[in-house]
């Protein structure tokens, strides 16, 4: 009898464990399943199924984009290249369209909701041959949502105005709005008005009006601005007036870029009201540019010149030589140690000098310098030629020249004094 009792207890324990396991599995399934109270989806389409989008708006505008072997292309109202990011953003928005709620499962009269003439109609053609049509009607009375339906589905939904904003596009929104279509990785020369720059490796040099050292960051910023120069999206009837406004506006800037595919030119003019109009050899037509798109196009040569006296950057140095008047300091690096006159030097003291010289920059570019010798700095990167800067003083002004460079750089006296003070305060180690 005791054995029988133990057997019954074991069976009951097994059943209890099985019940707990089954209950846990069911709870896990419920947790993984979408909530029945969540917002219903109007559309859910894999992005790789999209092959054609047809957009129609109540005012007659719209667009047709198709996915061709070479990628997406605008095919109506005219064949044009597209802005890939704009089209991809639209595809992503359409791949999953969620509603706020179902307003009515079977609305009787759809006219009060704006579906007699939808404000927006988007037809999606899929690679597998299926088709979807999303219809947007009027705004809700509070203006916070929009009535929506899917063709073939009798239910009336509401979606957020933000969702509508992501979907409501015209062809000007989807076209490639760049006015210059060069590839910056292949860029060889850039011209801006009377200035010209040539790229060798990863560095830019000014070639006009003089062969001067160029500020790489300033030229790269100009390239970025040229890349981002995009036409404004305006109604077609307004755009038709742009050629006349361009013709009557004053010249503002001319930019030219040359990559491995050839040269493109952008001409910008400014009218009396302060609006900018542009014409490009890369895109047919005349367009208006927003004011921030032309920032930097009116800069002068000095704005693009390299003001820094040294080019070693963050390359490790093997030797640092500083001379002020009759006093000279000579620091040499062996392994991880800095030495001067056979004595170990606090590496932090030398690093302060290096940091100050790295940031040594001109306050201006006078036509001539001159004066009496005042200081000399020679920095030798490991395994590379030394860079030498000579400083002269004329009255209360300080001028500097680089070895092999005829440019005269004007310096702030405080910077020169700081270098001398740092060199004099270098500490030796025991």
């Amino acid at each position: 009898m005791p054995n029988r009792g133990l057997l019954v207890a074991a069976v009951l324990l097994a059943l209890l464990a099985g019940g707990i396991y089954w209950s846990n599995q069911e709870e896990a399934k419920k947790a993984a399943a979408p909530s029945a109270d969540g917002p219903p989806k109007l559309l859910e389409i894999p992005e790789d199924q999209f092959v054609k989008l047809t957009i129609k708006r109540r005012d007659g505008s719209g667009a047709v984009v198709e996915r061709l072997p070479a990628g997406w292309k605008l095919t109506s109202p005219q064949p044009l290249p597209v802005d890939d990011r704009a089209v991809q953003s639209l595809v992503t928005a359409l791949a999953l369209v969620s509603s706020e709620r179902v307003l009515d499962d079977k609305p009787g009269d759809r006219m009060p909701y704006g579906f007699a003439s939808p404000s927006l109609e988007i037809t999606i053609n899929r690679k597998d041959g299926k088709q979807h049509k999303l219809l947007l009607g009027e705004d809700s009375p509070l203006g916070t949502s929009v009535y929506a339906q899917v063709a073939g589905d009798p239910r009336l939904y509401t979606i957020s105005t933000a969702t509508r904003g992501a979907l409501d596009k015209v062809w000007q929104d989807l076209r490639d709005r760049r006015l210059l279509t060069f590839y910056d990785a292949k860029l060889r020369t850039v011209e801006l008005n009377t200035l010209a720059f040539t790229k060798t490796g990863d560095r830019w040099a000014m070639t006009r009006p003089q062969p001067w050292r160029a500020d790489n960051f300033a030229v790269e910023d100009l390239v970025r601005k040229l890349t981002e120069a995009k036409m404004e999206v305006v109604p077609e009837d307004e755009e038709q007036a742009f050629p006349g406004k361009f013709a009557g506006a004053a010249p503002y800037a001319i930019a030219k870029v040359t990559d491995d595919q050839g040269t493109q030119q952008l001409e910008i003019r400014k009218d009396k009201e302060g609006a900018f109009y542009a014409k490009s050899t890369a895109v047919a037509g005349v367009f208006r540019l927003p004011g921030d798109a032309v920032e930097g196009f009116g800069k002068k040569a000095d704005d693009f010149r390299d003001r820094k006296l040294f080019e070693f950057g963050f390359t490790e140095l093997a030797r640092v030589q500083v001379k002020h008047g009759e006093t000279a300091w000579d620091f040499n690096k062996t392994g991880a140690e800095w030495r001067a006159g056979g004595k170990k030097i606090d590496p932090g003291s030398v690093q302060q000098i290096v940091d100050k010289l790295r940031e040594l920059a001109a306050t201006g570019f006078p036509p001539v310098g001159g004066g009496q010798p005042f200081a000399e700095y020679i920095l030798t990167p490991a395994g590379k030629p030394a860079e030498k800067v000579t400083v002269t003083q004329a009255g209360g002004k300080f001028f500097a020249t680089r070895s092999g460079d005829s440019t005269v750089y004007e310096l702030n006296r405080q910077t020169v004094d700081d270098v001398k003070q740092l060199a004099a305060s270098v500490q030796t180690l025991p």
Side-chain angles (χ1 to χ4, degrees), residues 241-253:
F242 289 171
K245 293 187 175 183
F246 178 86
Y252 181 80

Side-chain angles (χ1 to χ4, degrees), residues 61-84:
S61 61
V64 179
V65 290
E66 297 185 51
R67 179 177 269 162
L68 305 175
W72 286 98
K73 185 173 183 179
L74 187 67
T75 57
S76 180
Q78 53 182 302
L80 289 170
V82 299
D83 180 337
D84 290 324

Side-chain angles (χ1 to χ4, degrees), residues 13 23 37 44 57 72 97 128 200 219 249 285 308 310 342 388 413 426:
L13 183 61
S23 177
D37 297 329
E44 187 171 13
R57 303 171 83 233
W72 286 98
V97 181
D128 59 14
T200 303
V219 182
K308 289 192 175 181
F310 288 100
K388 178 180 178 180
R413 166 147 198 174
V426 165

Side-chain angles (χ1 to χ4, degrees), residues 82-128:
V82 299
D83 180 337
D84 290 324
R85 286 180 294 183
V87 175
Q88 182 56 51
S89 178
L90 178 59
V91 168
T92 300
L94 286 166
L96 181 60
V97 181
S98 294
S99 69
E100 293 180 328
R101 64 191 180 104
V102 176
L103 193 64
D104 196 332
D105 283 327
K106 293 182 179 180
D109 184 5
R110 300 193 309 162
M111 189 170 295
Y113 304 106
F115 293 105
S117 176
S119 62
L120 181 67
E121 179 181 312
I122 302 179
T123 302
I124 304 163
N125 292 87
R126 296 172 45 147
K127 184 166 58 176
D128 59 14

Side-chain angles (χ1 to χ4, degrees), residues 331-332 338-346 427-429:
F331 309 105
N332 292 272
W338 281 99
R339 291 179 176 272
K343 297 181 179 180
K344 288 184 181 180
I345 300 298
D346 174 23
Q427 300 176 2
T428 59
L429 296 176

Side-chain angles (χ1 to χ4, degrees), residues 176-419:
D176 186 347
R177 295 192 292 118
R178 294 177 300 162
L179 292 175
L180 294 173
T181 58
F182 64 92
Y183 294 97
D184 54 356
K186 301 289 187 179
L187 206 55
R188 297 199 300 263
T189 64
V190 173
E191 299 176 47
L192 179 66
N193 303 321
T194 61
L195 312 178
F197 309 91
T198 299
K199 192 173 189 180
T200 303
D202 60 352
R203 290 202 60 83
W204 287 96
M206 188 180 296
T207 58
R208 195 175 66 228
Q210 296 288 337
W212 290 324
R213 295 166 60 232
D215 181 338
N216 228 50
F217 292 105
V219 182
E220 286 292 345
D221 186 61
L222 171 62
V223 172
R224 180 182 62 82
K225 282 289 186 182
L226 291 171
T227 304
E228 295 176 353
K230 297 181 179 180
M231 62 191 76
E232 281 188 331
V233 176
V234 299
E236 289 185 67
D237 57 347
E238 185 177 348
E239 191 174 296
Q240 291 172 2
F242 289 171
K245 293 187 175 183
F246 178 86
Y252 181 80
I254 294 179
K256 294 181 182 179
V257 292
T258 302
D259 62 8
D260 60 340
Q261 300 299 311
T263 299
Q264 299 177 10
Q265 176 176 300
L266 177 66
E267 182 180 358
I268 303 171
R269 296 186 181 185
K270 183 179 181 180
D271 69 8
K272 295 179 180 179
E273 286 72 38
F276 295 93
Y277 298 92
K279 183 166 63 174
S280 169
T281 59
V283 184
V286 175
F287 306 94
R288 190 169 65 201
L289 286 173
D292 58 0
V294 300
E295 289 178 3
F297 292 172
K299 287 184 176 181
K300 306 302 181 183
D302 282 3
D303 298 316
F304 292 99
R305 295 180 67 176
D306 194 344
R307 294 176 178 268
K308 289 192 175 181
L309 273 294
F310 288 100
E311 296 182 344
F312 68 94
F314 289 92
T315 303
E316 184 178 357
L317 297 178
R319 189 179 184 186
V320 176
Q321 297 167 268
V322 176
K323 182 180 179 182
H324 273 259
E326 299 300 320
T327 308
W329 297 267
D330 192 349
F331 309 105
N332 292 272
K333 192 173 187 181
T334 303
E337 295 181 348
W338 281 99
R339 291 179 176 272
K343 297 181 179 180
K344 288 184 181 180
I345 300 298
D346 174 23
S349 300
V350 180
Q351 188 60 49
Q352 286 183 306
I353 300 173
V354 172
D355 291 342
K356 181 62 68 172
L357 290 175
R358 181 188 292 114
E359 298 304 319
L360 188 64
T363 58
F365 303 95
V368 294
Q372 298 300 313
F374 185 84
E376 183 178 274
Y377 313 122
I378 304 176
L379 303 182
T380 307
K384 294 184 178 181
E387 293 185 63
K388 178 180 178 180
V389 170
T390 302
V391 181
T392 60
Q393 180 181 8
K397 293 187 175 183
F398 290 82
F399 305 103
T401 55
R402 287 169 40 87
S403 180
D405 182 356
S406 61
T407 302
V408 178
Y409 303 84
E410 187 169 348
L411 297 179
N412 181 295
R413 166 147 198 174
Q414 185 61 53
T415 304
V416 179
D417 289 344
D418 287 346
V419 175

Side-chain angles (χ1 to χ4, degrees), residues 135-200:
L135 306 172
L136 302 188
E138 302 292 351
D139 289 359
S140 65
L142 293 178
T144 57
S145 57
V146 184
Y147 299 120
Q149 279 197 316
V150 175
D153 182 349
R155 291 173 292 183
L156 175 65
Y157 300 88
T158 60
I159 63 171
S160 69
T161 53
T163 299
R164 177 181 60 187
L167 303 177
D168 190 4
K169 304 298 178 184
V170 292
W171 66 273
Q172 292 98 325
D173 295 314
L174 302 177
R175 71 174 297 182
D176 186 347
R177 295 192 292 118
R178 294 177 300 162
L179 292 175
L180 294 173
T181 58
F182 64 92
Y183 294 97
D184 54 356
K186 301 289 187 179
L187 206 55
R188 297 199 300 263
T189 64
V190 173
E191 299 176 47
L192 179 66
N193 303 321
T194 61
L195 312 178
F197 309 91
T198 299
K199 192 173 189 180
T200 303

